[in-house]
Amino acid sequence: MTASINSPYGSTIFSFNNSSSSPQVFSPTMFSDLVAAGYGWIRIQLQWVNIEVTQNVYTWNTLDDFVTKANAAGLNCSYVLQGPAPSFYSSGQLVNNLDTLTPITVTYADPAKLAIFAAAVVTRYNGLNGHGSIQAIEIGNEEYDSLPAGSNGQNSRASLWRDPRYYVQTLPIVGAAIRAVTSYTGKIGTCAVWWDALPHMGDFVTAIYAASGNLKQYFDYLNFHWYPSESGSGGNTDVMSWNFVGGSQSTCPSFLTAWQTIQAIVQANDPGKEIWVTEISWYGSHNWIGAGSQRATNAFINYDEQQRNFYLMMESARLSGAMAKFFVYTTDYAPFSTTPASSANQDENVHRISDAYSIVQQYQDFTNSNAQTTFYTPAWYTIKNYATRYPTWTVQKTATIAASAY
């Protein structure tokens, strides 16, 4: 039996692997574990460039495996239309060169080409063509509101790099293409709005509603990501004060401020629209990322802090009356391999491990017949217990913002 689409709990996973000869095969345990823990949703990021490897030829192997197993387990599926675009579509990309002082150019997929791909996805996974079904699709991940490598939301040029006009051009074209596939009855979400700068977060959402063409008809929920950083015992410990590494308290919103900022705009422009956080997490100190990296030096928290943080953020979301979905990033069941992983997913002994964010940690020991062990962190059990106690939340479609949320 498929979980209710009203289930508030989900997990986001990421895959680069879509080789036609050796596609990623997802662990069945991942899906059964999520169901047993009370999750109703699973969201996958598999980039467009890894599906349309050859122009006009789609390699669905990995996504087919994911959707089939999620459907069999009874989980609702969300797929992200995520760039980059395949290189053979580079001539039609939107180009952001607004910053004339800094030699940075940001590119976005050709909306018309992305619309064709989007229609192919929802047609294949409409539940009628033998490939299973997805219940949500998002038009973009973080690429429409992201930052060049090495910068953060406090950079004085960030507002130019993150100008919403390019997403405003993309949303109606891709949204209309999805709506035109009448056999698809799932939801449509916006790209992820980055949390790490005010007033930018509100400005980006406001721009969507201010654009001509009534863009609100092309999406069913607004989507944001929230990745606070905590510097261990010497860093921020107040739940309302987590902020982007190197950022200031005055411009980096707390989780409470983030959803309240979006909710205020929704109430003024589009009462009833849902708000989802589809990625939220903290790096755990249980995972080695590499000496000198930002993850290793700035973002580690211990198990107790991690599970406490998840509890407090779920309380904030549940009590908000505004938040419909809460997706953890991530539950990474490290794919078994006979070769070492990339540096981001290996320990100091070059053994394969799960993503640093993952609340389920798997470890593969190449020195011991490739034995693989699984460790469920305290945060995993905290979320499981919370979902058992509060299997559903009440989302107030036109109510005022809750003042009692954390």
Side-chain angles (χ1 to χ4, degrees):
M1 181 177 68
T2 302
S4 169
I5 62 170
N6 294 322
S7 169
Y9 305 100
S11 176
T12 289
I13 66 169
F14 193 96
S15 175
F16 281 109
N17 185 356
N18 196 39
S19 167
S20 58
S21 60
S22 181
Q24 179 172 341
V25 177
F26 294 96
S27 167
T29 305
M30 175 176 68
F31 302 95
S32 59
D33 275 358
L34 289 173
V35 171
Y39 290 71
W41 286 82
I42 189 166
R43 173 179 179 265
I44 185 170
Q45 297 171 234
L46 178 62
Q47 295 175 318
W48 176 16
V49 71
N50 291 318
I51 293 179
E52 192 174 354
V53 179
T54 302
Q55 189 168 358
N56 299 321
V57 177
Y58 301 121
T59 302
W60 300 108
N61 305 50
T62 297
L63 194 53
D64 277 353
D65 181 69
F66 175 86
V67 172
T68 297
K69 288 175 179 173
N71 287 174
L75 290 166
N76 294 291
C77 288
S78 178
Y79 174 69
V80 184
L81 294 166
Q82 181 174 353
S87 60
F88 39 78
Y89 292 142
S90 60
S91 61
Q93 292 183 127
L94 301 177
V95 179
N96 175 351
N97 52 14
L98 297 176
D99 189 348
T100 59
L101 299 180
T102 307
I104 290 177
T105 298
V106 186
T107 58
Y108 310 92
D110 178 343
K113 303 274 193 325
L114 181 58
I116 294 171
F117 174 61
V121 171
V122 294
T123 298
R124 185 174 183 84
Y125 301 111
N126 62 6
L128 303 174
N129 293 323
H131 304 292
S133 62
I134 60 173
Q135 286 67 45
I137 189 167
E138 293 172 13
I139 304 175
N141 186 48
E142 296 173 347
E143 61 268 36
Y144 292 95
D145 188 24
S146 61
L147 298 163
S151 64
N152 61 47
Q154 313 314 308
N155 192 298
S156 61
R157 316 302 295 168
S159 61
L160 296 175
W161 305 333
R162 305 170 69 173
D163 193 288
R165 71 184 66 184
Y166 304 96
Y167 192 65
V168 165
Q169 294 177 56
T170 300
L171 180 58
I173 296 174
V174 181
I178 296 171
R179 295 285 195 219
V181 180
T182 56
S183 60
Y184 173 70
T185 58
K187 296 178 180 289
I188 303 175
T190 63
C191 71
V193 180
W194 270 77
W195 69 278
D196 66 350
L198 290 175
H200 169 80
M201 190 175 197
D203 292 344
F204 195 97
V205 177
T206 297
I208 294 175
Y209 285 113
S212 61
N214 189 24
L215 300 192
K216 63 185 180 182
Q217 66 182 302
Y218 298 116
F219 63 96
D220 303 301
Y221 62 91
L222 285 152
N223 171 29
F224 75 99
H225 291 175
W226 199 70
Y227 282 107
S229 295
E230 187 173 337
S231 303
S233 60
N236 297 311
T237 55
D238 181 354
V239 68
M240 288 295 102
S241 300
W242 289 312
N243 67 92
F244 194 87
V245 173
S248 66
Q249 299 294 343
S250 62
T251 58
C252 294
S254 68
F255 183 69
L256 173 66
T257 304
W259 68 252
Q260 284 188 338
T261 297
I262 296 176
Q263 175 65 356
I265 299 167
V266 168
Q267 287 180 331
N269 296 278
D270 198 8
K273 193 74 76 182
E274 293 184 351
I275 302 172
W276 296 18
V277 57
T278 55
E279 293 183 32
I280 179 171
S281 201
W282 294 260
Y283 290 119
S285 57
H286 51 278
N287 199 331
W288 184 89
I289 297 300
S293 71
Q294 184 185 78
R295 298 183 186 184
T297 58
N298 292 313
F300 281 161
I301 60 175
N302 63 40
Y303 287 135
D304 289 339
E305 291 170 330
Q306 188 184 53
Q307 63 87 22
R308 174 207 65 184
N309 294 354
F310 273 117
Y311 175 82
L312 291 172
M313 298 307 101
M314 286 188 295
E315 280 283 272
S316 179
R318 181 180 64 84
L319 295 173
S320 69
M323 296 292 302
K325 299 285 184 284
F326 186 97
F327 282 69
V328 173
Y329 188 87
T330 180
T331 47
D332 177 22
Y333 290 68
F336 182 85
S337 176
T338 56
T339 58
S342 67
S343 59
N345 286 321
Q346 66 186 30
D347 66 7
E348 64 274 27
N349 296 314
V350 201
H351 298 151
R352 181 178 292 274
I353 55 176
S354 298
D355 187 290
Y357 281 121
S358 183
I359 59 173
V360 175
Q361 286 292 312
Q362 286 198 331
Y363 173 86
Q364 183 179 345
D365 189 348
F366 289 97
T367 66
N368 184 25
S369 303
N370 290 323
Q372 194 168 41
T373 59
T374 303
F375 171 67
Y376 298 88
T377 68
W380 167 269
Y381 291 105
T382 294
I383 296 171
K384 179 180 180 179
N385 292 337
Y386 196 92
T388 299
R389 185 177 182 183
Y390 303 109
T392 59
W393 299 344
T394 300
V395 179
Q396 302 167 356
K397 296 298 185 181
T398 58
T400 57
I401 296 172
S404 59
Y406 286 91

